[in-house]
Amino acid sequence: MNGAKILWVDDEIELLKPHIFFLKGKGYDVETCNNGYDAIEMVQSHLFDLIILDEMMPGMTGLETLPKIKEIRPTTPVIMVTKSEEENIMDKAVGSKIADYLIKPVNPNQVLLSIKKNVHQQQLVTEQTTADYRAEFGRISTSFADARTFADWSAIYKKLVNWEIELTDSNDDSIREILAYQKDEANNEYAKFVRKNYLDWINRKDADTPVMSHTLMRSNIFPEADRNRKTTLLLIDNFRYDQWRSINALLHNWFDIATEEFYCSILPTATQYARNAIFAGLMPLAIDKLMPNLWLNDNEEGGKNQYEEDFLRRQLQTNGKSYRMTFDKLIRPEAGRKLIDNISKVYDADFSVIVYNFLDILSHARTETEIIRELTEDEAAFRSLTRSWFEHSDLFTILKMLSERGHTVIITSDHGTIRVDNPVKIIGDRETSTNLRYKTGRNLNYNAKEMFVINKPQEAQLPQSNITSTYVFAYNRDFFVYPNNSNQFVRYYKNTFQHGGISMEEMMVPYIVLKPKG
């Protein structure tokens, strides 16, 4: 870990020899000079891992030397050392993007700590994080057998995502592989849990039944809107908990997080089913029966999510809610800019809804576009791209505007996505649905042990296009392929992000309530 090359610049460098011997004893290569002019020459001709710079030197001060060093080596960390405790000196140093600020007299351990923080931080964090995860690995695995409720599994998923994010920058590939295996194991056990409990959740409401797509508005969102003068619901399609974690720090200056939990998406975890269920407050079978003209089955032509505002207005009326409401669906980039120009209608509403489709578009683009595949080769890259998009998006601008107007904001999604890599064969006729994570149709041929099968769709409150229709759902990272041209199909879709099936990533949907600062 040691061996880093350090330049120490101080006009009283002779008095610091004990400190320098101490650092050399720790394995550091320390060079010295006693003025800013020599420091600049040495920085021009040598590469240093870190520079320690005295602020009060005759001739050229440390604050005058600093920008010249930064011009030559902009990424080299500089620790500023000074006798002065004046606030304006500190402000100038910090404003010049120094790495640390030490006040004389400094002791050797103080200097050593600052060096470790600025030169070895990633390595030290990696080592400690790896050790912490190894210590918790067994406890996490044991918790799978003890999980009895959706809340239990949500806690496991949250913990795994937290470790996934903690280990993102780790140099230890083996520990990330161990975490990936543990997450796969968790998803396999979670699939068994869903298979055992799903039909009971749908048909028998009890204390262990989670909030689900069709109960989300009544259970969570309407009560929140009743408590606040202004509430905005932001539904981001395909939005997962790890992606929320990638953007939440950006919102810190504008919002406080009042609630961070999960609800359970219905099956199929697909927009047509899950999002319509949210806005209608009904399961798909009930929507089809009550509003047959507004529901299209998988095998029918036409847009499957054209009537979400109609569904929501009906649900508001049914629940006796008389909010002044606006509803905006932002699919193309120009739609965000248009909403900013017309933001007054959102300000005037009691309850506003914004559906944002960017991540869904990005997921599909990743499947179809080679460069997007390269930019989102794994979950960590997808999180990074999500953050970059959000930071420069119209959506971020809208959220800042809503904070300034005192809006409570609810952020959620209709379902998540999972990166698939394991093909599972299935046979169906031309009427069979095309989704890779679930299939519905008649005369499906499959291995029932490899998937969750619903032979009687009405038991899962799902519509059926004909009397013999069946639904099947893929587990974990599986995706369905047909025997014909399967190799080409697998090459095209392997390692793409898909949704519709059973996994923690798809079914455990983040539900976030943000309160405006001030």
Side-chain angles (χ1 to χ4, degrees), residues 37 44 55 106 126-127 134 138 142 167-168 190 197 203 207 240 252 308 323 341 348 362 366 446 478 505:
Y37 302 104
Q44 284 176 325
E55 189 275 318
V106 293
T126 293
E127 290 172 356
R134 289 185 187 278
T142 302
L167 293 167
T168 294
Y190 175 71
N197 294 283
N203 295 298
R240 305 188 315 196
H252 176 74
E308 293 159 347
Y323 312 135
D341 292 339
D348 293 339
L362 185 59
R366 188 188 184 282
Y446 49 81
D478 297 348
E505 290 90 332

Side-chain angles (χ1 to χ4, degrees), residues 2 38 42 66 94 113-114 117 124 138 147 166 200 216-217 232 239 244 291 311 316 335 369 440 446 448 476 478:
N2 295 337
D38 288 347
M42 292 177 74
L66 180 61
V94 173
L113 177 61
S114 187
K117 184 171 67 174
L124 292 170
E166 287 288 326
D200 285 342
L216 180 64
M217 285 284 183
T232 297
F239 191 54
W244 157 247
M291 296 166 276
F311 291 153
L316 287 167
T369 308
T440 179
Y446 49 81
N476 199 358
D478 297 348

Side-chain angles (χ1 to χ4, degrees), residues 500-511:
I502 297 174
S503 68
M504 296 183 295
E505 290 90 332
E506 291 162 290
M507 295 185 73
M508 294 181 183
V509 185
Y511 175 81

Side-chain angles (χ1 to χ4, degrees), residues 490-501:
V490 168
R491 282 196 302 271
Y492 188 72
Y493 286 106
K494 190 172 183 178
N495 287 322
T496 62
F497 288 88
Q498 302 293 333
H499 56 84

Side-chain angles (χ1 to χ4, degrees), residues 226-238:
D226 290 340
R227 286 191 289 269
N228 299 287
R229 185 176 61 86
K230 300 284 185 181
T231 303
T232 297
L233 168 63
L234 172 61
L235 191 148
I236 306 175
D237 200 9
N238 285 18

Side-chain angles (χ1 to χ4, degrees), residues 205-404:
K205 179 84 172 171
D206 60 31
D208 289 335
T209 300
V211 175
M212 302 187 74
S213 307
H214 62 300
T215 61
L216 180 64
M217 285 284 183
R218 293 192 300 276
S219 298
N220 289 29
I221 295 174
F222 290 161
E224 193 64 50
D226 290 340
R227 286 191 289 269
N228 299 287
R229 185 176 61 86
K230 300 284 185 181
T231 303
T232 297
L233 168 63
L234 172 61
L235 191 148
I236 306 175
D237 200 9
N238 285 18
F239 191 54
R240 305 188 315 196
Y241 176 67
D242 65 327
Q243 291 169 318
W244 157 247
R245 287 286 308 277
S246 74
I247 70 168
N248 62 1
L250 296 172
L251 294 166
H252 176 74
N253 290 333
W254 287 273
F255 292 97
D256 292 317
I257 301 172
T259 302
E260 183 183 275
E261 56 192 31
F262 299 91
Y263 82 89
C264 182
S265 172
I266 64 165
L267 297 174
T269 48
T271 304
Q272 170 191 355
Y273 293 87
R275 197 196 294 169
N276 281 335
I278 291 171
F279 289 126
L282 300 166
M283 286 294 289
L285 180 60
I287 299 173
D288 190 26
K289 285 184 175 179
L290 291 170
M291 296 166 276
N293 295 332
L294 306 186
W295 177 269
L296 293 176
N297 288 322
D298 286 84
N299 61 347
E300 295 178 287
E301 294 292 328
K304 306 294 195 294
N305 289 86
Q306 294 182 331
Y307 303 104
E308 293 159 347
E309 183 176 355
D310 299 308
F311 291 153
L312 179 55
R313 291 192 181 279
R314 181 186 182 280
Q315 186 177 182
L316 287 167
Q317 185 176 12
T318 302
N319 286 272
K321 304 299 179 185
S322 55
Y323 312 135
R324 289 176 297 168
M325 189 194 84
T326 61
F327 190 100
D328 290 278
K329 187 184 290 190
L330 310 184
I331 297 175
R332 300 185 180 280
E334 60 268 21
R337 292 189 288 274
K338 186 175 179 182
L339 182 57
I340 291 172
D341 292 339
N342 294 279
I343 198 70
S344 58
K345 68 173 185 176
V346 178
Y347 293 157
D348 293 339
D350 304 316
F351 180 57
S352 48
V353 178
I354 302 171
V355 178
Y356 215 96
N357 264 34
F358 177 82
L359 289 181
D360 181 52
I361 294 169
L362 185 59
S363 295
H364 292 303
R366 188 188 184 282
T367 302
E368 297 161 7
T369 308
E370 191 64 32
I371 191 168
I372 301 295
R373 276 182 186 253
E374 292 178 8
L375 288 171
T376 56
E377 63 179 358
D378 57 19
E379 284 79 0
F382 205 1
R383 285 193 295 271
S384 177
L385 187 59
T386 300
R387 179 187 170 94
S388 179
W389 154 71
F390 180 77
E391 190 171 10
H392 304 284
S393 69
D394 291 324
L395 180 57
F396 190 21
T397 302
I398 291 168
L399 284 169
K400 289 184 278 190
M401 296 169 78
L402 293 175
S403 171
E404 291 167 357

